[in-house]
Amino acid sequence: MEKGFARVWRKTGTRLTLLYLLLLLVGRMNGEAGVAPPGKPRLINCRSPEKETFTCWWEPGSSGGLPTSYTLFYRKENSDVVYECPDYITAGDNSCFFDKNHTSIWVNYNITVVAQNALGNASSDPMDVDVMNIVQPHHPENVTVTLMQGENLYLQVKWQPPRMADTRSGWITLTYELLVKREEDDEWEEYFAGLQKQYQLFSPHPGETYMVKVRCKPDHGYWSEWSATAYVDVPDYLPRERSVWMLLAVFSAFVFLIFMWVLALKKNRVKHCLLPPVPGPKIKGFDSCLLKMEKSEEIFNGLIGLGFRPPSDSGDLLVDYLEVSESIQSESRHSLSPNGKDQVKDSVADHSGGHLCDVPAILAEKCNKEMEAQGDVQTEESLETVGHLAGNDNHTPNPSAASSNQPCVQESPYHVPEESKQGLDPVTWDNDELSSYRGNAPVHGKSHFNSEYVTERWQGCLQVTKPTEYVEVQKVNQENTLILKPKAEEEMEDFLQLGLRGQDYSKVSELVNDHILLLERGSTTPNTYCGSLGSPVQQQPKQTLCQGPNGYVETFTVQSSSY
Amino acid sequence: MGLGFESHLGCLATDWRPVLGVSPSPPALRPVLLGRLRFPVTPYETSGSEDVLLLSLFVHCHCVDFGDLMDRAVQLSDKVHFLSTSLKSDLDYHLPAVGKKIPHLSLCHTSPLKTPMDKNQVLSLSESELLSLVQSLLLSWTDALLLLSSEASSLPHPSTSTIQVKAKQLRENSDTLGTGLSRLAHKMGSSSSSYIPLRYTENSLGGDDDSRLVNFHFLLSCFRRDSHKIDNFLKILRCRANKQKPDMC
């Protein structure tokens, strides 16, 4: 039993020892036990803050578990002498500081770092360094921001170059850059200050805090770190101005409101002032209602019917009355004698009022209103126009011996053709109350009021306002007779239908003796004159004159032929 | 020792003549013309230099401020160095291996010119010495820059056009700076210095492409260093000329 035990015991012990040795061996081979040559270090960079000294840093490799020392060696370009780093301490761990005595510029340094421990050493890759290329200054110092009161408020930022940099002699040239930010802003604003050591920030926002920091850069080197941030509080210096502006704004708004209110009250007057009403056409007899209805016939009729109005007191007036005198034979004379009476006045005056549109109700109302409103105006106008017409003496009188051959004056109030300008021989009636009128020559075409007067002469124009029952004088034959025709026969004669809504028509009161027409004034309705006077030739059978309900003369058959 | 700056501060000689192509007239006749000093206005433009017209009223000695002239010179030299750095980085970007093959810069043709190597040495030099040093450096490089500029077009490099343009600008600006400084020095009356320019005597960069590239790179690196020296010296000179304006340093 015991033998067995011992035997087992011995076996395990051996195995354990073997195992231990094995582990030891492995551990040694791996070096994890801490002994190995050092790993290769790496030179990071070198920097010179003022072009007078410089520092190099390296990164150590693995230490190999043993205390490792690092040595920096360098060679200058024009010699083979190898020097060691003069100062490992000043710049901190793993660094080498070259002081002024050991620093040359415009000279290439070949630098190497060697790591060494008990087991071996390791050398880094060499690095070539020229001081002129590695300049990176320290940050500017004493950055201050102050509020300055000039004409306006502004911020003055001042700083000083890093302590060691010799900018006074020009050995190192530094340019500066600022970052400015308001406390609540997210982004910094960049300002480049060049060579100067102060900077102005104008128009700072009132009531805010500003943060400023500065950095510098040598002419051919690297930017420095940012300096410490400087703060400044800007007081509120604007509120007074602001309140003045607010007061002004409120006041002007108030004034504006009042102005608008007044404007609204006086809207009509303003409207009348700014947009004066456009005067309507003053064509006598022109009926806008008709225009709307697009009854051009009637429009023209109305226009043509404009008058011939005897002028008031013009001595130059031509004859404007048609005198129908009794002349049984063909010698009826139609002499126009200037009566100079405004007997048509009334008829004229009532013209506009007496006329009604056959228009749809809507328009009718409007038309009526307008008519009423303009009635007075139109009256005056029409009177004038009539007078104007009557007063034409431009007309070279037709040298016809027979004054009866003179054509009627045309209807247009503004222009009267030559030939027709001469007044007609007045047709005088026996009645003293003869109204005068001026005959109208037939017009060619409805649209040509002012032109193309028919040279047909006739005396005494007859018109009937009632569209259906006009009697018109067709012509005057040689014997100075009126030849009347009913309107229906117009077409045959290529006659212009005259829309004679005469304002100046006399109203026939009665037919006397079958050959005398009695005219009376006072009727606003155009009259028709029917009947041939003294004309044996003419007959107008089947035509009668009659008075319509409006005072119009309507045709009826004339029976006599004994004229 | 040359004449100190103090005697020249504030007012330079008054007979300015066009820089190029005019020989100095005899002292008896000193016509006064508008002078042209070929300095550029802004440092970092890549376009050619511009003429800066300088006026001087001869009788009353209202001259151009020396400090302003130095400022103009500094702008030029700054631009030259910037161009050389940029050109070198262009070269390195595409063919970095070439940069490692170049010989030591102690083999530059201007090495025999004993230039100061730290700040104290530099600051101990007088203005005229500094100026003549700058001049000799510049003169030493005129031929070499000419070569660089002409060889840039046939360089076996991907970005030949950029290199060509920059090399040309480099040469032009350096020439301008050299000419302007020579006029300045002449007006200052500085004595000839102990610094004798060392011209580059090679006619070509090499036979095969590889050596041409390497030599190009090498020349450029040498020039880059020398241009930094020139720039630094001129900045010191500017600072000294602008004592009343500390913001110019």
Short mmCIF file of all heavy atoms in Angstrom, two decimals, chain A residues 303-334:
data_model
loop_
_atom_site.label_atom_id
_atom_site.label_comp_id
_atom_site.label_asym_id
_atom_site.label_seq_id
_atom_site.Cartn_x
_atom_site.Cartn_y
_atom_site.Cartn_z
N LEU A 303 -80.18 110.66 -83.71
CA LEU A 303 -79.13 111.64 -83.99
C LEU A 303 -79.53 112.54 -85.14
O LEU A 303 -79.28 113.74 -85.14
CB LEU A 303 -77.84 110.91 -84.33
CG LEU A 303 -77.09 110.43 -83.10
CD1 LEU A 303 -75.97 109.51 -83.52
CD2 LEU A 303 -76.55 111.60 -82.32
N ILE A 304 -80.08 111.88 -86.07
CA ILE A 304 -80.44 112.70 -87.23
C ILE A 304 -81.49 113.72 -86.85
O ILE A 304 -81.53 114.83 -87.36
CB ILE A 304 -80.95 111.79 -88.36
CG1 ILE A 304 -79.78 110.97 -88.90
CG2 ILE A 304 -81.60 112.61 -89.46
CD1 ILE A 304 -80.19 109.91 -89.86
N GLY A 305 -82.30 113.27 -85.94
CA GLY A 305 -83.40 114.17 -85.60
C GLY A 305 -82.96 115.38 -84.82
O GLY A 305 -83.74 116.23 -84.51
N LEU A 306 -81.70 115.37 -84.51
CA LEU A 306 -81.24 116.51 -83.74
C LEU A 306 -81.38 117.75 -84.58
O LEU A 306 -81.10 117.79 -85.73
CB LEU A 306 -79.78 116.33 -83.38
CG LEU A 306 -79.55 115.32 -82.28
CD1 LEU A 306 -78.09 115.30 -81.97
CD2 LEU A 306 -80.33 115.71 -81.07
N GLY A 307 -81.62 118.51 -83.98
CA GLY A 307 -82.04 119.60 -84.55
C GLY A 307 -81.47 120.58 -85.36
O GLY A 307 -80.35 120.77 -85.53
N PHE A 308 -82.40 121.00 -85.83
CA PHE A 308 -82.19 122.23 -86.50
C PHE A 308 -82.91 123.21 -85.66
O PHE A 308 -84.06 123.29 -85.60
CB PHE A 308 -82.86 122.17 -87.84
CG PHE A 308 -82.23 121.06 -88.51
CD1 PHE A 308 -82.92 119.89 -88.63
CD2 PHE A 308 -80.96 121.15 -88.94
CE1 PHE A 308 -82.31 118.86 -89.27
CE2 PHE A 308 -80.39 120.12 -89.54
CZ PHE A 308 -81.06 118.97 -89.73
N ARG A 309 -82.13 123.88 -85.08
CA ARG A 309 -82.85 124.73 -84.16
C ARG A 309 -82.60 126.16 -84.57
O ARG A 309 -81.48 126.52 -84.91
CB ARG A 309 -82.24 124.47 -82.82
CG ARG A 309 -82.59 125.65 -82.05
CD ARG A 309 -82.23 125.75 -80.87
NE ARG A 309 -81.87 124.62 -80.19
CZ ARG A 309 -81.54 124.79 -78.98
NH1 ARG A 309 -81.54 125.93 -78.52
NH2 ARG A 309 -81.22 123.84 -78.27
N PRO A 310 -83.48 126.84 -84.54
CA PRO A 310 -83.26 128.23 -84.92
C PRO A 310 -82.45 128.91 -83.84
O PRO A 310 -82.73 128.74 -82.68
CB PRO A 310 -84.66 128.83 -85.01
CG PRO A 310 -85.49 127.95 -84.18
CD PRO A 310 -84.88 126.60 -84.22
N PRO A 311 -81.48 129.58 -84.21
CA PRO A 311 -80.66 130.28 -83.22
C PRO A 311 -81.42 131.45 -82.65
O PRO A 311 -82.42 131.89 -83.22
CB PRO A 311 -79.46 130.74 -84.02
CG PRO A 311 -80.01 130.90 -85.40
CD PRO A 311 -81.09 129.87 -85.56
N SER A 312 -80.87 131.95 -81.63
CA SER A 312 -81.66 132.96 -80.92
C SER A 312 -81.65 134.28 -81.64
O SER A 312 -82.65 134.75 -82.14
CB SER A 312 -81.11 133.15 -79.52
OG SER A 312 -80.96 131.94 -78.90
N ASP A 313 -80.48 134.82 -81.67
CA ASP A 313 -80.50 136.21 -82.10
C ASP A 313 -79.46 136.52 -83.15
O ASP A 313 -78.93 137.61 -83.18
CB ASP A 313 -80.27 137.14 -80.90
CG ASP A 313 -81.47 137.13 -79.99
OD1 ASP A 313 -82.58 137.29 -80.51
OD2 ASP A 313 -81.27 136.90 -78.80
N SER A 314 -79.16 135.55 -83.88
CA SER A 314 -78.09 135.81 -84.82
C SER A 314 -78.64 136.44 -86.07
O SER A 314 -79.59 135.94 -86.67
CB SER A 314 -77.41 134.50 -85.17
OG SER A 314 -76.54 134.70 -86.24
N GLY A 315 -78.02 137.46 -86.40
CA GLY A 315 -78.49 138.13 -87.60
C GLY A 315 -78.08 137.39 -88.85
O GLY A 315 -78.63 137.61 -89.92
N ASP A 316 -77.08 136.56 -88.66
CA ASP A 316 -76.63 135.85 -89.84
C ASP A 316 -77.41 134.59 -90.10
O ASP A 316 -77.08 133.82 -90.99
CB ASP A 316 -75.15 135.45 -89.68
CG ASP A 316 -74.30 136.70 -89.59
OD1 ASP A 316 -74.74 137.74 -90.06
OD2 ASP A 316 -73.20 136.60 -89.01
N LEU A 317 -78.31 134.46 -89.31
CA LEU A 317 -79.00 133.18 -89.45
C LEU A 317 -79.71 133.10 -90.77
O LEU A 317 -80.29 134.05 -91.26
CB LEU A 317 -80.01 133.02 -88.33
CG LEU A 317 -79.37 132.87 -86.95
CD1 LEU A 317 -80.43 132.82 -85.91
CD2 LEU A 317 -78.51 131.64 -86.92
N LEU A 318 -79.57 131.97 -91.22
CA LEU A 318 -80.30 131.74 -92.45
C LEU A 318 -81.72 131.38 -92.09
O LEU A 318 -82.08 131.19 -90.94
CB LEU A 318 -79.66 130.62 -93.24
CG LEU A 318 -78.26 130.94 -93.71
CD1 LEU A 318 -77.65 129.73 -94.36
CD2 LEU A 318 -78.30 132.10 -94.68
N VAL A 319 -82.32 131.28 -93.12
CA VAL A 319 -83.73 130.95 -92.92
C VAL A 319 -83.83 129.60 -92.30
O VAL A 319 -83.14 128.67 -92.68
CB VAL A 319 -84.44 130.94 -94.27
CG1 VAL A 319 -85.87 130.59 -94.13
CG2 VAL A 319 -84.24 132.29 -94.93
N ASP A 320 -84.61 129.54 -91.34
CA ASP A 320 -84.71 128.22 -90.76
C ASP A 320 -86.14 127.76 -90.57
O ASP A 320 -86.42 126.79 -89.91
CB ASP A 320 -83.97 128.16 -89.45
CG ASP A 320 -84.21 129.42 -88.67
OD1 ASP A 320 -85.17 130.13 -88.98
OD2 ASP A 320 -83.41 129.71 -87.79
N TYR A 321 -86.90 128.48 -91.05
CA TYR A 321 -88.28 127.99 -90.93
C TYR A 321 -88.77 127.52 -92.28
O TYR A 321 -88.42 128.05 -93.32
CB TYR A 321 -89.22 129.08 -90.47
CG TYR A 321 -88.81 129.66 -89.17
CD1 TYR A 321 -88.61 131.03 -89.05
CD2 TYR A 321 -88.61 128.84 -88.07
CE1 TYR A 321 -88.25 131.56 -87.86
CE2 TYR A 321 -88.23 129.37 -86.88
CZ TYR A 321 -88.05 130.72 -86.76
OH TYR A 321 -87.68 131.27 -85.60
N LEU A 322 -89.49 126.57 -92.17
CA LEU A 322 -90.12 126.08 -93.39
C LEU A 322 -91.51 126.69 -93.44
O LEU A 322 -92.33 126.48 -92.56
CB LEU A 322 -90.22 124.55 -93.36
CG LEU A 322 -90.93 123.95 -94.54
CD1 LEU A 322 -90.14 124.17 -95.81
CD2 LEU A 322 -91.13 122.46 -94.31
N GLU A 323 -91.65 127.44 -94.40
CA GLU A 323 -92.97 128.03 -94.51
C GLU A 323 -93.73 127.31 -95.59
O GLU A 323 -93.29 127.23 -96.74
CB GLU A 323 -92.88 129.50 -94.89
CG GLU A 323 -92.25 130.32 -93.79
CD GLU A 323 -92.24 131.79 -94.19
OE1 GLU A 323 -92.72 132.08 -95.29
OE2 GLU A 323 -91.70 132.59 -93.43
N VAL A 324 -94.68 126.79 -95.09
CA VAL A 324 -95.57 126.15 -96.08
C VAL A 324 -96.68 127.13 -96.40
O VAL A 324 -97.54 127.42 -95.59
CB VAL A 324 -96.14 124.85 -95.52
CG1 VAL A 324 -97.08 124.21 -96.51
CG2 VAL A 324 -95.00 123.89 -95.18
N SER A 325 -96.53 127.65 -97.54
CA SER A 325 -97.58 128.63 -97.90
C SER A 325 -98.49 128.02 -98.94
O SER A 325 -98.16 127.08 -99.64
CB SER A 325 -96.94 129.89 -98.44
OG SER A 325 -96.15 129.57 -99.57
N GLU A 326 -99.55 128.61 -98.93
CA GLU A 326 -100.54 128.07 -99.86
C GLU A 326 -100.13 128.38 -101.28
O GLU A 326 -99.98 129.51 -101.68
CB GLU A 326 -101.89 128.69 -99.53
CG GLU A 326 -102.98 128.24 -100.50
CD GLU A 326 -104.30 128.89 -100.13
OE1 GLU A 326 -104.27 129.79 -99.25
OE2 GLU A 326 -105.29 128.51 -100.70
N SER A 327 -99.92 127.38 -101.98
CA SER A 327 -99.68 127.65 -103.40
C SER A 327 -100.30 126.50 -104.16
O SER A 327 -99.80 125.39 -104.18
CB SER A 327 -98.19 127.77 -103.66
OG SER A 327 -97.58 126.54 -103.64
N ILE A 328 -101.36 126.79 -104.61
CA ILE A 328 -102.16 125.74 -105.24
C ILE A 328 -101.49 125.25 -106.51
O ILE A 328 -101.40 124.08 -106.78
CB ILE A 328 -103.59 126.26 -105.53
CG1 ILE A 328 -104.20 126.63 -104.19
CG2 ILE A 328 -104.37 125.19 -106.27
CD1 ILE A 328 -105.52 127.32 -104.30
N GLN A 329 -101.07 126.20 -107.20
CA GLN A 329 -100.37 125.78 -108.39
C GLN A 329 -98.97 125.36 -108.01
O GLN A 329 -98.61 125.33 -106.85
CB GLN A 329 -100.33 126.93 -109.41
CG GLN A 329 -101.71 127.36 -109.84
CD GLN A 329 -102.52 126.18 -110.34
OE1 GLN A 329 -102.04 125.31 -111.04
NE2 GLN A 329 -103.80 126.14 -109.94
N SER A 330 -98.32 125.15 -108.97
CA SER A 330 -96.98 124.63 -108.68
C SER A 330 -96.01 125.71 -108.26
O SER A 330 -94.82 125.52 -108.30
CB SER A 330 -96.44 123.92 -109.91
OG SER A 330 -96.40 124.83 -110.99
N GLU A 331 -96.61 126.77 -107.96
CA GLU A 331 -95.73 127.87 -107.63
C GLU A 331 -95.63 128.07 -106.14
O GLU A 331 -95.42 129.15 -105.66
CB GLU A 331 -96.24 129.18 -108.27
CG GLU A 331 -96.28 129.12 -109.77
CD GLU A 331 -94.90 128.96 -110.35
OE1 GLU A 331 -93.94 129.54 -109.75
OE2 GLU A 331 -94.75 128.25 -111.33
N SER A 332 -95.89 127.07 -105.54
CA SER A 332 -95.80 127.27 -104.08
C SER A 332 -94.37 127.64 -103.75
O SER A 332 -93.42 127.07 -104.21
CB SER A 332 -96.21 126.01 -103.36
OG SER A 332 -95.28 124.97 -103.58
N ARG A 333 -94.41 128.58 -103.03
CA ARG A 333 -93.07 129.07 -102.71
C ARG A 333 -92.75 128.71 -101.28
O ARG A 333 -93.55 128.83 -100.39
CB ARG A 333 -93.06 130.60 -102.86
CG ARG A 333 -93.48 131.03 -104.20
CD ARG A 333 -92.44 131.87 -104.79
NE ARG A 333 -91.16 131.68 -104.23
CZ ARG A 333 -90.24 132.62 -104.26
NH1 ARG A 333 -90.50 133.77 -104.78
NH2 ARG A 333 -89.07 132.41 -103.76
N HIS A 334 -91.69 128.31 -101.27
CA HIS A 334 -91.25 128.02 -99.90
C HIS A 334 -90.15 128.98 -99.57
O HIS A 334 -89.05 128.90 -100.08
CB HIS A 334 -90.73 126.60 -99.80
CG HIS A 334 -91.75 125.63 -100.30
ND1 HIS A 334 -92.77 125.18 -99.54
CD2 HIS A 334 -91.89 125.07 -101.53
CE1 HIS A 334 -93.50 124.33 -100.24
NE2 HIS A 334 -93.01 124.24 -101.45
#
